[in-house]
Amino acid sequence: MSLEIINLYSNYGLKTILKNINLKINKGELLAIIGPNGAGKTTFLKCILGVKSYKGRIIYDGMDLSKISEREKAKIISYLPQFTPIIFPITIFENVILGRLPYFWTIPKKEDIEFVNKILEDLNLIEYSNRYIDEVSGGERQRANIARIIAQNSKIMLFDEPTANLDLKYQLEIMELIRKITKERNTITIIAIHEVNLAFKYADRIVLLNNGEIICNGSPNEVISMINKIYEVNGEIIDFNGRPRIIY
Amino acid sequence: MNIKEYGTIQADGEIVKYKITIFSFLILLIFLIGISISIGSVKMDIIDVYKIIIAKSFPFLNINNNEVLEYIVWNLRMPRVLGAIIIGAILASSGVVCQSILRNPLASPFTIGLSSAAAFGASIAIILGAGIAYGSYTFLITNEIFIITNAFILCLICSIVISIIARIKGTNPTVIVLTGIAIGYFFSAFTSILQYTSQAEALKAVIVWLLGDLGLLNWEKLIWISSGLIGIIIFIHMGWRLNAFNMGEEIASSLGINIKKIRAICIIVIGFMIAVTISFVGVIGFICLVSPHIARIIIGNDNRKLIITSSLIGSNLLLLSDTIARTIFSPLILPVGAITSLIGGPFFVYLLIKSRRMYWS
Ligand SMILES: Nc1ncnc2c1ncn2[C@@H]1O[C@H](COP(=O)(O)OP(=O)(O)OP(=O)(O)O)[C@@H](O)[C@H]1O
Ligand SMILES: [Mg+2]
């Protein structure tokens, strides 16, 4: 089973943002999308989620994702947006249990609540569970949002900048966690990420996007040579336990 | 105590707080019912009031009461009191949902034009003595039923128009709010023109209607108005899905919410709730805005709790206002809509200043 993106085009008004994207991602694969600001990473994730219109086809397990009802799709895809504008904040517990929304109608089941409590425990969020989401640190909020994604238990997970606002410890911990879940639950995981070294450390495969086009699609070692050119920097490439890193 | 227990204890604490809130407002409401019914031109003992209410609600108990008092309590004063409770609840809960789905603390059924539409409908009926529901006949003496039907129909039409816009442009709540405001101005303009061209008598009738009045309620009207309570049940059922809106449109849709559809449905339901209340009692506005915010300050933004809490607050506020409106300068009865704002406004500001959380910052 895989997620297949075929001839994907997307535009905002007259401006074409994504140009002829073709990509296949397998189950259990952690794919990182990197690229400069405005490259189209967020737009790409939104197309897969179905909140952005596009031309082309996005196929999961033989099904065209655009033809599935919202509720069924929510069982397949979960999404962590880059920005979450909050007007009426809810507690962390209330936020995480929203991840179970595709599985109940009126009231969450007992299993849903137990599942959520377990996730909160795993992410060291129990003591924050009744804190309001706008009254915790950026990192705690981010972890709460990631906890919601885990609670959603979907086959495809899309993360837009999951490590934003996190301190070094949590950057590594969250990436570790995303990788662990990807392997354990055998999910298709796509993360858009700026921290290229985190991508090199954790991703199975990396797609380098620039101006809406795939410049490079391959293993960390295959992609790293393009970094200096695309980002217009002069970093030094080193090898760290078989995976590349870039130092600047 | 291990971590898990700690977590459960905290969650229980929230539930206890919620239950205490509900319980307190219920007690307050029961108390207000007694007070409100006992005062008036015929004064009576508050205990007698409760006795009569219990006797009437549970006839099989065979409690005997003074028949005159019973008539005053049950036929004259009870409809008004019960009306205040039901209407307060309907207005407040529709306000909560309006804010939640439009993700806007200033949104209310009144800011999106529903009341202006109803007011226009009522004005046509009063001033021209004609209802669009009945064609273009002109009547010299306006019939109450025309006012009600006209207000109801225009309010509903307005909500249908807004919900169609929500279905088309529903991903952007600001567009919906602004459209509603524009529609409101549109209807207000018509109302102004009508008022400008009307006779003094009719003008006064319109103004009285616009201020809101619970005095015309009777048991029959209450049955009609109660149909708005269905909206509250629908909203409670949708509570969790409404919570998804708290996290923003993108997260909500990633959780399987059809944003446009839910917005359109909620606006229609809100339209019905508002139509069925204000077409009977006129424009009583402030409750829609203030009760949800008071509830948000007390118990947070979980819509399931919010809808119930805010309904109770709305009931209390409207009943209190109406009691004050008809007693403070008795026998002169002040317009309840104005009193609501007079009491609710300062209390709201007080809560805003006192509250720890500036929850929309
Ligand atoms: N709502 C929008 N309307 C018009 N143009 C948009 C909109 N959103 C994004 N764009 C444009 O689309 C392009 C790609 O944006 P996108 O958000 O996908 O980039 P990104 O790779 O996620 O960037 P970043 O690293 O800054 O998050 C940018 O040029 C941006 O200006
Ligand atoms: Mg982005």
Side-chain angles (χ1 to χ4, degrees), chain A residues 12-13 15 17 35-44 46 82-83 160-161 192 194 209:
Chain A
Y12 279 113
K15 193 173 163 209
I17 307 294
N37 286 133
K41 306 181 291 295
T42 299
T43 311
F44 179 64
K46 284 183 181 174
Q82 188 170 10
F83 307 107
D160 203 345
E161 309 290 349
H194 278 301
L209 211 60

Side-chain angles (χ1 to χ4, degrees), chain A residues 11-231:
Chain A
N11 56 293
Y12 279 113
L14 292 174
K15 193 173 163 209
T16 306
I17 307 294
L18 296 174
K19 294 157 207 154
N20 198 19
I21 306 280
N22 284 285
L23 202 58
K24 188 173 173 196
I25 309 135
N26 295 314
K27 261 177 115 177
E29 189 174 24
L30 177 56
L31 178 87
I33 301 183
I34 58 173
N37 286 133
K41 306 181 291 295
T42 299
T43 311
F44 179 64
L45 295 183
K46 284 183 181 174
C47 287
I48 299 175
L49 182 65
V51 296
K52 171 82 189 80
S53 60
Y54 58 85
K55 286 199 210 72
R57 296 206 302 155
I58 301 178
I59 311 278
Y60 169 74
D61 191 16
M63 299 176 288
D64 191 329
L65 279 180
S66 64
K67 301 208 166 68
I68 301 175
S69 77
E70 280 88 355
R71 196 172 160 86
E72 287 312 306
K73 196 150 76 184
K75 293 176 188 163
I76 301 176
I77 307 181
S78 55
Y79 173 59
L80 178 81
Q82 188 170 10
F83 307 107
T84 40
I86 288 170
I87 290 157
F88 300 122
I90 51 180
T91 65
I92 288 191
F93 179 80
E94 286 160 357
N95 178 32
V96 177
I97 205 160
L98 281 180
R100 302 305 296 165
L101 204 55
Y103 303 93
F104 68 84
W105 283 108
T106 310
I107 304 167
K109 294 189 265 299
K110 200 160 168 281
E111 307 93 81
D112 293 322
I113 293 172
E114 278 165 9
F115 190 48
V116 164
N117 272 326
K118 169 126 197 342
I119 293 165
L120 288 170
E121 212 172 293
D122 289 348
L123 270 75
N124 283 330
L125 282 169
I126 282 281
E127 56 184 304
Y128 299 104
S129 59
N130 287 310
R131 295 269 294 277
Y132 280 85
I133 196 138
D134 63 329
E135 288 181 346
V136 294
S137 77
E140 286 150 3
R141 187 201 279 208
Q142 190 71 330
R143 271 151 60 208
N145 283 329
I146 290 171
R148 187 191 62 243
I149 307 259
I150 297 171
Q152 204 173 333
N153 201 8
S154 59
K155 316 274 191 300
I156 302 171
M157 300 193 291
L158 310 175
F159 294 95
D160 203 345
E161 309 290 349
T163 56
N165 288 322
L166 296 182
D167 69 26
L168 196 54
K169 176 186 165 218
Y170 279 118
Q171 284 187 18
L172 298 176
E173 222 173 280
I174 288 296
M175 290 302 291
E176 207 78 64
L177 182 73
I178 291 175
R179 188 171 171 87
K180 186 171 139 241
I181 292 168
T182 306
K183 301 301 168 189
E184 267 177 21
R185 294 191 185 163
N186 220 3
T187 60
I188 293 166
T189 307
I190 308 177
I191 49 176
I193 189 162
H194 278 301
E195 252 327 308
V196 285
N197 280 329
L198 283 177
F200 292 134
K201 181 167 160 61
Y202 290 103
D204 296 315
R205 188 149 56 105
I206 293 177
V207 165
L208 175 57
L209 211 60
N210 194 24
N211 287 327
E213 283 173 296
I214 296 182
I215 304 293
C216 206
N217 171 8
S219 70
N221 280 312
E222 287 167 312
V223 173
I224 195 141
S225 58
M226 299 296 290
I227 296 288
N228 278 331
K229 189 172 157 235
I230 297 297
Y231 284 87

